[in-house]
Amino acid sequence: MAHSASVPEEAPRAGVVEVASLTKRFGDVEALAGVSFRLEPGTFFALLGPSGCGKTTLLRMIAGFEVPTSGDILLDGLPVADVPPYRRSVNTVFQHYALFPHMDVARNVGYGLRQRKPSPDRQEQQRMIAETLELVRLTGYERRRAWELSGGQQQRVALARALINRPTVLLLDEPLGALDLKLRREMQLELKQLQEQVGITFIFVTHDQDEAFSMADRVAVMRDGRILQDGPPEMIYEHPVDPWVATFIGRMNLFPGAVETNGPDCVVRLERGRHVSCPVPPGPAPVGAPVLVAVRPERVWMTGATDRTERIGVTDAIDSADAADAADGPGSSGMTEPRFGGRLVRTVFLGDRVEHIVDAAQLGTVLITAGNTGAAAAAPLPAPGEEGVIGWTRESARIVVERQVAGIRH
Ligand code: ATP
């Protein structure tokens, strides 16, 4: 396979992982369709996407278990196409721990040391095993067998076994998938701490957004064998590149419309006639272009039509839901701080938060979420079935545009 990247000899590349235009076909299935990224040493990189989007295939190619159809993988600046899996400075932790049942914890963890040529002497092996077990908080468990450990402990042994040779990159394929939710949360924190401690690049596969966001410095959102967006969690959440990413990551209200003017604000005429003003999007949004105004449910507020001035943050009152619907026109606060009449259809109690479903004549169904801050801080909402006013600040809205990406299955 051709290696096209030109590598200046003096460039420090130790620990750098590069993937360039990687594709993989299994017969008719295009599992990966041109994936590229470069990871600096010590990055915690999450591959996040729905089932079948190509996450595991990508990981298996970096590990060397699958051969790419085209494209390059470089570890420490060197192409690894001809390097077999066991010679790559890569280790993998799978969802199912695959510990050797006939070995105790210490022998499982030390396995990689015994495979080295030459392998460290016995004393050095014992020192390294002890050090690695301490890292995963399993000191004292050296003589246990896999069946004498809990799921979380087995996964820690698998981590220790994968880390002992200090690979350039640790690949983790849904390693917490078999654990219950509480343990999973604990392990996410531990894993992040562990990664910071060892400073090794982690590439972590998951379809769980919370998991990716809680640990990763960078998240690649994948769909149909492509990376649609790659960036820090905050960037992906706040500035999704398209409606699919906007709704795959968290929840999003999407209101269709067309661009009326673009600059200094982007003013959109919504399908049902009202205008809203939004920050100008980074991509092209020419006048007349169909777009979606995207607003996160936690950024939408609601207040009862008669009591709205008490809502935290609302200072200028609106006399009625009808007036809210009428507020419009260039320069009016109704456009820059959009307000709409809406009927509270249902409130769903979820413990730490509540969800409100609102039916707004000018918008359709709107989802609002609010933290459960206790009765004292609760906003004066209308009763279910009654009218109120909903709105958001101009800065909360994003313009997202449907993209035609070749090969994406809509
Ligand atoms: P999941 O989250 O369900 O594990 P994934 O994102 O890891 O999914 P992959 O396992 O990489 O997805 O699969 C990507 C696509 O390639 C899927 O359509 C899958 O059916 C296909 N695929 C994967 N391995 C093979 C194979 N060995 N032969 C044929 N098709 C395959």
Side-chain angles (χ1 to χ4, degrees):
M1 190 178 314
H3 162 222
S4 51
S6 69
V7 185
E9 267 178 29
E10 66 282 8
R13 309 297 285 271
V16 172
V17 179
E18 283 173 280
V19 164
S21 309
L22 206 61
T23 70
K24 178 68 183 175
R25 293 198 76 91
F26 295 105
D28 290 344
V29 179
E30 189 180 40
L32 277 190
V35 164
S36 301
F37 55 81
R38 176 193 157 100
L39 305 179
E40 296 305 322
T43 306
F44 200 129
F45 189 54
L47 301 173
L48 174 65
S51 184
C53 72
K55 307 179 294 289
T56 298
T57 302
L58 175 53
L59 215 64
R60 287 174 58 78
M61 288 200 288
I62 298 171
F65 303 137
E66 293 285 359
V67 177
T69 303
S70 64
D72 294 308
I73 299 168
L74 289 83
L75 299 176
D76 299 328
L78 299 171
V80 292
D82 300 324
V83 183
Y86 63 91
R87 306 255 339 255
R88 296 188 185 191
S89 182
V90 163
N91 250 326
T92 310
V93 178
F94 299 97
Q95 179 169 344
H96 298 289
Y97 330 110
L99 299 181
F100 302 118
H102 57 290
M103 295 181 196
D104 62 18
V105 166
R107 283 188 66 74
N108 260 288
V109 173
Y111 178 80
L113 298 176
R114 298 193 296 279
Q115 300 306 306
R116 277 204 217 161
K117 301 274 180 297
S119 60
D121 65 37
R122 255 182 93 77
Q123 215 178 350
E124 178 61 1
Q125 284 191 28
Q126 271 164 8
R127 190 195 64 75
M128 291 173 79
I129 291 168
E131 185 186 273
T132 312
L133 282 177
E134 197 182 325
L135 203 61
V136 297
R137 301 195 299 113
L138 278 183
T139 305
Y141 288 77
E142 290 80 355
R143 300 275 81 86
R144 297 257 192 120
R145 299 297 178 104
W147 65 83
E148 296 171 315
L149 299 170
S150 71
Q153 288 164 342
Q154 288 184 44
Q155 199 51 297
R156 286 202 200 109
V157 176
L159 272 169
R161 192 177 60 180
L163 282 170
I164 198 152
N165 276 334
R166 291 292 194 271
T168 296
V169 51
L170 187 67
L171 307 174
L172 303 109
D173 194 355
E174 305 236 15
L176 310 181
L179 307 179
D180 67 56
L181 190 63
K182 195 153 178 277
L183 185 55
R184 218 175 150 137
R185 297 267 177 267
E186 283 171 26
M187 286 290 289
Q188 287 166 10
L189 284 176
E190 279 189 27
L191 210 52
K192 178 68 184 162
Q193 276 172 2
L194 181 70
Q195 190 263 346
E196 285 169 355
Q197 232 172 320
V198 294
I200 291 172
T201 298
F202 278 25
I203 305 183
F204 188 100
V205 160
T206 182
H207 56 257
D208 177 338
Q209 180 212 315
D210 284 352
E211 191 153 285
F213 275 34
S214 66
M215 293 186 287
D217 311 307
R218 247 171 83 184
V219 175
V221 182
M222 292 186 66
R223 183 186 180 194
D224 290 346
R226 292 156 180 82
I227 293 180
L228 296 186
Q229 192 167 9
D230 171 357
E234 296 83 350
M235 195 265 271
I236 288 176
Y237 191 78
E238 297 297 343
H239 301 282
V241 284
D242 63 22
W244 191 87
V245 175
T247 49
F248 181 72
I249 300 292
R251 303 173 78 184
M252 189 69 102
N253 292 294
L254 293 173
F255 308 119
V259 176
E260 188 115 326
T261 59
N262 193 358
D265 273 5
C266 188
V267 176
V268 175
R269 182 184 159 84
L270 298 176
E271 266 183 359
R272 300 186 187 192
R274 282 281 305 277
H275 290 87
V276 288
S277 185
C278 309
V280 171
V287 171
V291 294
L292 293 149
V293 174
V295 190
R296 293 278 181 207
E298 70 274 17
R299 308 268 162 88
V300 185
W301 52 258
M302 180 168 207
T303 185
T306 55
D307 215 5
R308 61 246 159 239
T309 51
E310 288 171 30
R311 188 190 67 79
I312 297 162
V314 174
T315 49
D316 42 349
I318 290 178
D319 290 333
S320 69
D322 288 344
D325 271 342
D328 204 354
S332 80
S333 67
M335 190 174 71
T336 54
E337 302 291 322
R339 279 127 204 237
F340 299 86
R343 186 173 55 86
L344 180 60
V345 177
R346 195 155 43 94
T347 291
V348 182
F349 179 73
L350 292 166
D352 62 342
R353 64 191 195 284
V354 281
E355 289 182 2
H356 306 294
I357 316 291
V358 177
D359 183 19
Q362 296 288 328
L363 297 168
T365 301
V366 181
L367 176 69
I368 305 176
T369 55
N372 180 3
T373 50
L381 284 168
E386 289 184 0
E387 295 289 327
V389 176
I390 66 169
W392 58 82
T393 63
R394 168 196 170 280
E395 290 69 31
S396 309
R398 299 281 174 266
I399 302 280
V400 286
V401 183
E402 202 74 67
R403 299 185 297 171
Q404 283 309 319
V405 181
I408 289 274
R409 297 185 283 273
H410 284 280

